[in-house]
Amino acid sequence: MARAMFEYTKTVLQKVSFDPILFCKELEKAAKRLLPYELDELKIWLNLYIQGKPELSKSLIYFK
């Protein structure tokens, strides 16, 4: 079940990546729902995903 939530989170983030504000809100929700090791995986995925998308780089603040 938890793995499904991680995959769902990635899907949602991809779908809302057109809007940086919405992307940050969904990322904030994910930070509350996911397990600690899933957050580590999400951080890695996020660093790769936002390459070439400078408008989304502000979202990294949720992992500092």
Side-chain angles (χ1 to χ4, degrees):
M1 175 74 177
R3 195 71 190 162
M5 183 57 77
F6 176 70
E7 293 300 324
Y8 174 75
T9 299
K10 289 192 324 186
T11 302
V12 169
L13 288 172
Q14 289 172 340
K15 288 183 179 183
V16 300
S17 64
F18 66 91
D19 182 1
I21 295 171
L22 189 55
F23 188 84
C24 286
K25 285 181 182 179
E26 289 299 328
L27 194 57
E28 187 176 4
K29 286 182 195 176
K32 293 177 184 175
R33 290 185 185 142
L34 296 177
L35 299 172
Y37 73 91
E38 290 175 324
L39 285 174
D40 292 338
E41 287 183 42
L42 186 63
K43 190 184 311 183
I44 293 167
W45 176 84
L46 187 61
N47 281 323
L48 294 172
Y49 186 74
I50 66 170
Q51 287 180 347
K53 297 178 176 92
E55 67 276 4
L56 298 179
S57 63
K58 294 177 190 173
S59 63
L60 292 177
I61 196 166
Y62 292 103
F63 291 106
K64 301 278 180 185

